[in-house]
Amino acid sequence: MEFVFNNGTPIGNIILTLVLLAAIFGAVFYCLYIVCKRKLPFIVFATCAFFVIFGYIFVLPIISYVALAIMTVGLILSLFINLGDLRKFLANPFQVKQAKNTAFKVEKIFDKHEMYQQIESAVISLSKTKTGAIITFERNTSLADMLKNGVTIKAPVSAELLQTIFYPGTRLHDGAVVIHGNEIVAASVFFTPTTQAFAGKYGSRHRAAIGISEISDSVTVVVSEETGRISFAVNGTLESVDQANFLRVFENLMDDTNK
């Protein structure tokens, strides 16, 4: 490095030296970043260590001192930042850290036909008593945003529970029940109703069922509280079905959404 300091004016030599050191620092930092991407503390530490050795080899003590100072400050900051972990280690240095169980979102295996029969039993019972109900089956389109205005249930599907939820006078009977797989995930969920104009008279439940079917691939069952009529809302359309054919149509619709 001697030739740098003995070439031209003193100020020019200083500027040239700083530019050269900045170029070397940038090159080393960039190379370490490429090799150890997203490990910034290690990159800074390794870069400083390089310049400590660099300053020692080329007899540039000021560079070694600055690099050592940066390393020291970095180590002190790291100790303060990780003080909690350090205390745990000092309290029990020989403790083996157990690996955490990774939660994977895996669809539960269940008997679909048995679940469908539970739905059939509940819907036919609600239809006979003219109890208004709206049950939405979540498919590939997530309804997570819709569930925020409802009440979390997270219980296995059963005919008795569905009838209890929609029993008039209960807190949850207004709004929809949302089912994912074989689990009732939420109740009293309110959907944005459709804005379509229909020739016939449709209540709030039917309009809400059509509305959710317009923005998702869900299948929604609606029971009218005035007539007990059972309807399916799918892909923005509403179709009625009699009690005798409910299970067959329901299974066909659910199978179609799985394809």
Side-chain angles (χ1 to χ4, degrees):
M1 299 292 292
E2 185 178 353
F3 76 93
V4 176
F5 292 100
N6 294 322
N7 184 22
T9 63
I11 296 177
N13 288 334
I14 293 172
I15 294 174
L16 186 60
T17 302
L18 291 175
V19 170
L20 180 60
L21 291 174
I24 296 172
F25 181 88
V28 173
F29 188 88
Y30 179 75
C31 291
L32 288 172
Y33 179 79
I34 295 298
V35 176
C36 311
K37 199 168 184 180
R38 287 194 290 268
K39 295 180 180 178
L40 188 59
F42 173 78
I43 295 171
V44 174
F45 186 85
T47 304
C48 291
F50 170 82
F51 274 94
V52 170
I53 299 171
F54 180 86
Y56 178 79
I57 293 174
F58 291 96
V59 195
L60 295 171
I62 186 65
I63 294 193
S64 296
Y65 295 153
V66 171
L68 281 171
I70 294 174
M71 290 174 66
T72 303
V73 172
L75 286 172
I76 293 172
L77 288 175
S78 296
L79 287 174
F80 275 105
I81 292 171
N82 300 286
L83 192 58
D85 293 334
L86 181 62
R87 286 177 178 174
K88 292 179 182 178
F89 173 75
L90 293 175
N92 192 352
F94 301 105
Q95 182 180 6
V96 178
K97 189 174 182 181
Q98 299 292 330
K100 293 182 179 179
N101 292 327
T102 304
F104 296 98
K105 188 177 181 181
V106 179
E107 291 292 333
K108 296 178 181 178
I109 299 174
F110 60 94
D111 188 335
K112 289 185 179 181
H113 184 69
E114 182 181 349
M115 192 270 285
Y116 293 163
Q117 288 180 323
Q118 290 289 322
I119 298 298
E120 178 194 32
S121 176
V123 170
I124 290 178
S125 177
L126 292 168
S127 175
K128 289 178 177 179
T129 58
K130 295 184 180 179
T131 302
I134 172 172
I135 307 171
T136 296
F137 297 85
E138 184 183 43
R139 307 306 303 171
N140 297 317
T141 306
S142 174
L143 302 179
D145 291 338
M146 306 288 181
L147 303 183
K148 294 176 182 178
N149 64 51
V151 177
T152 302
I153 301 293
K154 290 190 176 180
V157 172
S158 71
E160 293 78 11
L161 180 55
L162 287 171
Q163 292 175 60
T164 301
I165 290 173
F166 289 113
Y167 188 81
T170 61
R171 181 172 174 266
L172 301 177
H173 83 283
D174 281 332
V177 161
V178 176
I179 295 175
H180 180 82
N182 68 333
E183 183 180 62
I184 300 174
V185 293
S188 193
V189 179
F190 290 89
F191 301 135
T192 302
T194 182
T195 56
Q196 291 186 54
F198 295 99
K201 181 182 177 182
Y202 289 95
S204 58
R205 286 191 181 88
H206 294 83
R207 300 192 71 86
I210 298 171
I212 192 62
S213 72
E214 290 173 337
I215 60 173
S216 71
D217 62 350
S218 61
V219 173
T220 300
V221 180
V222 187
V223 179
S224 171
E225 65 179 349
E226 294 181 359
T227 62
R229 182 181 60 187
I230 303 169
S231 304
F232 285 105
V234 182
N235 298 325
T237 62
L238 191 71
E239 296 292 338
S240 298
V241 62
D242 56 40
Q243 295 179 9
N245 293 315
F246 173 82
L247 183 59
R248 178 182 58 80
V249 176
F250 179 54
E251 287 183 326
N252 288 337
L253 288 173
M254 294 297 284
D255 289 341
D256 286 341
T257 57
N258 286 325
K259 293 179 181 178

